[in-house]
Amino acid sequence: MMIHQYKLNGYNIVMDIHSGAIHVVDDIVYDIIEKLTPPLADNCPEELYALAYSKEDIDQAYAEVLELYKAEQLFTQDDYARFDKLMTVSPIKSMCLHIAHDCNLRCKYCFADTGSYQGGRSIMTAETGKKAIDFLIKHSYGRRNLEVDFFGGEPLLNFGAVKEIVEYARSKEKEHNKVFRFTLTTNGVLLDDEKIDYINKEMSNIVISCDGRPEVHDRMRPRVDGSGSYNSIMPKFKKLVEKRGDKEYYIRATFTKYNKDFTEDVLHFYNEGFEQISIEPVVTDPKHPYALTEEDLPEVFAEYDRLAAKLIEMRKNGEFFNFFHFMIDLDQGPCAIKRLRGCGCGNEYVAITPDGEVYPCHQFVGNPQWKMGDLDSMEVNLATKETFARSTVYGKDECRECWAKFYCSGGCNAANMQYRGNILKPFKLACDLEKKRVECAIMIQAALAE
Amino acid sequence: MKHIKTLNQANLKETAVKGGCGECQASCQSACKTSCTVANQKCEHKK
Ligand code: SF4
Ligand code: SF4
Ligand code: SF4
């Protein structure tokens, strides 16, 4: 069994991890649950009467706790290990196409070494991209919904190939009974009307990169000549989103040590007319001056609290924005299997380089020891696939015992590799941030349920 | 209940038995890609 309880923004929250139940409780129940270890007796245990409440209140509160316990909504047993056999090698259904290993910006925190991925600058030919589509069709077996993400570097540097690849994939849908969903991530520099219309027609989701306030953005996302890029991209992003209608998009930012007050950047986006907002912490080597480290956590946590409070206040005023990391659907979320399986990197998901090499995911590209196949042979290394298939929540000792496991899904293998030398060892800084965001997200649900 | 308000119909175990078809979106957790964190993903069967 596993309980996580915490107090935030005036709410006492008790999470019963293995049933998924979330309870908002008063102080008595909060204190009682803290003292209990199952199995629970029908009668209130003597030691609870030591709590600073009347006997009557304690009896009543205990009765409610007991009722939930019997309904398997509290102190529920962990019996998920039996689903382990489902955590095996799966068809590939999702692919990241590195359409251009090149970029027209020089973002300081770029994990891809400003687009080149530690190799030379190069672009993917339409031929290679089409082969990648054939590869995905082949390796997806019976899976119907397939995802292709156009990634870079900057994919608009090679937009002709993007279009050819999309058309090719569409032409194969019927014959193979597949549905392709395309997504694209762009810095916006090369957007024009024609590209905007094409993207809005073909891409089921688009991620537009901007860091928020102009001075924050321009500091980290300069052009090659060092000048800022905010003024040229912002009008294009607005146009794209205006024309997009109901289709999904995210404006996404990276926050660093320089803007730990990122609530201001969220509000900047909101004021500029964006509703779907994502801001993520930079993950990078602590040697960089802009890196976030342990010592920044208290401030960053306080900022997440501030943002959560702001979101609640605005929602209650009828002002809507969606912050990606606070989105949570407590009833209709994914199944437990999906939650336990994790990101699917190297198993359900792969990345393809401009040269047609296959890697477990975009973050492993550039490390030749992780190469797991190529488009010439159209094959993937099964041993690598198996390694990643085992990298589930229950395959990682620390994750199995973590209260956030069903919300986090086991973190990022690539970050684990980079910072702890093992895909199965979670990177603590990322865990701390993830857990804080989950706590905020659930507190927001409690507040909005009032 | 007077002391406890439960926010959801907790049925994770049930979803474990019925789920796992693999048709939903992949869910990269990484900061470099806002594809999705898993908790806010949609199940393809509950539209
Ligand atoms: S589509 Fe639904 S049932 Fe299938 S794996 Fe995804 S969350 Fe689970
Ligand atoms: S927060 Fe960390 S330990 Fe917990 S499930 Fe996620 S990666 Fe694993
Ligand atoms: S290993 Fe990390 S970067 Fe790669 S797909 Fe998984 S979560 Fe995303």
Side-chain angles (χ1 to χ4, degrees):
Chain A
M1 70 92 202
M2 197 188 287
I3 297 283
H4 178 64
Q5 55 186 125
Y6 65 101
K7 298 186 181 197
L8 186 56
N9 197 20
Y11 298 92
N12 298 345
I13 293 174
V14 176
M15 303 170 62
D16 183 46
I17 303 307
H18 296 117
S19 68
I22 312 284
H23 311 286
V24 184
V25 305
D26 63 8
D27 288 339
I28 311 182
V29 168
Y30 193 90
D31 293 345
I32 287 180
I33 288 175
E34 219 162 34
K35 291 218 171 308
L36 290 173
T37 350
L40 300 196
D42 281 344
N43 296 319
C44 182
E46 269 315 305
E47 71 263 23
L48 292 188
Y49 295 120
L51 291 168
Y53 306 98
S54 76
K55 178 170 184 306
E56 197 192 339
D57 281 347
I58 290 173
D59 282 336
Q60 198 184 46
Y62 184 77
E64 288 186 13
V65 169
L66 190 67
E67 192 181 324
L68 289 177
Y69 170 68
K70 288 188 171 162
E72 296 201 42
Q73 304 271 289
L74 256 185
F75 302 110
T76 312
Q77 290 300 319
D78 178 358
D79 53 9
Y80 290 93
R82 68 197 161 110
F83 297 108
D84 209 35
K85 59 182 185 307
L86 290 173
M87 309 295 163
T88 50
V89 172
S90 306
I92 298 173
K93 62 170 186 188
S94 186
M95 185 168 80
C96 180
L97 280 187
H98 289 236
I99 203 77
H101 274 189
D102 198 356
C103 194
N104 42 13
L105 291 184
R106 290 293 177 267
C107 306
K108 298 196 177 132
Y109 43 58
C110 184
F111 79 93
D113 193 17
T114 68
S116 69
Y117 286 83
Q118 289 76 33
R121 298 188 180 268
S122 57
I123 60 165
M124 181 182 280
T125 63
E127 264 26 77
T128 303
K130 290 177 191 173
K131 248 180 159 173
I133 296 291
D134 291 337
F135 171 89
L136 180 59
I137 291 173
K138 172 179 173 196
H139 288 277
S140 60
Y141 300 94
R143 291 279 198 275
R144 185 150 186 269
N145 294 324
L146 306 182
E147 295 147 44
V148 176
D149 187 33
F150 293 104
F151 201 63
E154 171 51 41
L156 297 193
L157 285 171
N158 192 13
F159 200 62
V162 170
K163 283 162 66 176
E164 275 191 61
I165 295 163
V166 167
E167 261 120 65
Y168 180 77
R170 292 275 182 246
S171 77
K172 297 277 168 186
E173 284 183 316
K174 234 190 176 148
E175 173 191 345
H176 297 280
N177 188 29
K178 305 286 182 193
V179 178
F180 283 96
R181 289 178 188 166
F182 297 103
T183 54
L184 184 140
T185 303
T186 180
N187 64 27
V189 174
L190 290 177
L191 277 177
D192 57 27
D193 287 343
E194 186 243 316
K195 292 195 185 82
I196 287 176
D197 290 341
Y198 189 85
I199 286 169
N200 282 345
K201 176 165 160 269
E202 291 290 356
M203 305 291 151
S204 63
N205 200 343
I206 169 142
V207 178
I208 52 183
S209 303
C210 174
D211 279 354
R213 290 162 289 176
E215 63 278 15
V216 172
H217 178 94
D218 284 343
R219 181 168 192 181
M220 292 308 281
R221 301 182 67 82
R223 295 162 180 275
V224 180
D225 68 8
S227 66
S229 56
Y230 181 93
N231 285 333
S232 90
I233 60 156
M234 205 46 171
K236 297 173 189 168
F237 283 165
K238 283 185 184 171
K239 197 175 219 181
L240 182 144
V241 169
E242 248 161 52
K243 289 177 122 182
R244 202 163 163 78
D246 293 341
K247 273 189 155 175
E248 284 177 67
Y249 76 92
Y250 273 100
I251 189 157
R252 89 162 285 295
T254 301
F255 74 85
T256 69
K257 211 189 199 65
Y258 301 147
N259 60 320
K260 284 184 270 183
D261 59 346
F262 53 84
T263 300
E264 299 306 323
D265 298 295
V266 172
L267 295 175
H268 176 75
F269 287 143
Y270 177 77
N271 292 329
E272 294 294 320
F274 299 95
E275 281 184 352
Q276 303 294 335
I277 301 167
S278 167
I279 297 200
E280 318 215 22
V282 70
V283 179
T284 192
D285 197 307
K287 72 170 192 244
H288 296 300
Y290 54 81
L292 293 164
T293 59
E294 292 276 314
E295 65 185 41
D296 296 311
L297 286 181
E299 248 178 290
V300 171
F301 286 0
E303 191 66 13
Y304 276 125
D305 290 342
R306 184 161 87 97
L307 177 58
K310 191 77 198 163
L311 185 145
I312 295 166
E313 177 197 318
M314 288 174 67
R315 287 272 172 98
K316 290 192 169 170
N317 277 330
E319 295 169 298
F320 181 87
F321 71 85
N322 184 24
F323 182 68
F324 186 77
H325 279 115
F326 289 167
M327 260 168 89
I328 203 161
D329 185 337
L330 297 178
D331 280 317
Q332 301 284 305
C335 70
I337 304 301
K338 163 82 179 174
R339 291 166 189 252
L340 294 177
R341 223 183 243 153
C343 67
C345 142
N347 185 24
E348 299 178 304
Y349 170 68
V350 294
I352 315 276
T353 68
D355 298 332
E357 295 178 331
V358 181
Y359 280 88
C361 86
H362 55 291
Q363 291 249 19
F364 286 97
V365 167
N367 296 303
Q369 74 270 27
W370 288 101
K371 182 183 157 185
M372 62 183 287
D374 57 66
L375 297 182
D376 287 333
S377 67
M378 292 295 259
E379 294 304 330
V380 284
N381 183 326
L382 260 183
T384 311
K385 243 183 149 221
E386 265 162 30
T387 304
F388 281 99
R390 279 195 297 273
S391 178
T392 63
V393 166
Y394 279 61
K396 298 173 185 169
D397 295 338
E398 290 163 59
C399 297
R400 198 187 309 126
E401 303 305 324
C402 170
W403 66 262
K405 60 188 170 184
F406 286 111
Y407 302 90
C408 159
S409 206
C412 171
N413 295 316
N416 295 353
M417 190 60 218
Q418 188 175 351
Y419 298 103
R420 295 194 61 194
N422 184 333
I423 61 170
L424 300 178
K425 295 235 180 287
F427 170 45
K428 186 165 174 301
L429 188 72
C431 295
D432 290 345
L433 289 160
E434 171 68 13
K435 288 191 263 192
K436 178 65 192 174
R437 292 187 298 242
V438 172
E439 288 189 344
C440 287
I442 289 175
M443 182 276 289
I444 290 169
Q445 293 299 313
L448 296 179
E450 272 180 345
Chain B
M1 288 198 190
K2 208 172 140 243
H3 301 268
I4 305 176
K5 178 164 128 192
T6 300
L7 291 184
N8 58 348
Q9 309 251 316
N11 61 356
L12 255 191
K13 286 197 179 181
E14 220 176 282
T15 70
V17 178
K18 292 188 187 148
C21 72
E23 287 293 350
C24 49
Q25 218 186 318
S27 53
C28 173
Q29 320 282 331
S30 152
C32 59
K33 256 201 164 182
T34 293
S35 301
C36 258
T37 49
V38 76
N40 51 40
Q41 295 255 323
K42 286 184 220 73
C43 173
E44 288 292 324
H45 302 297
K46 299 177 194 158
K47 282 217 170 140

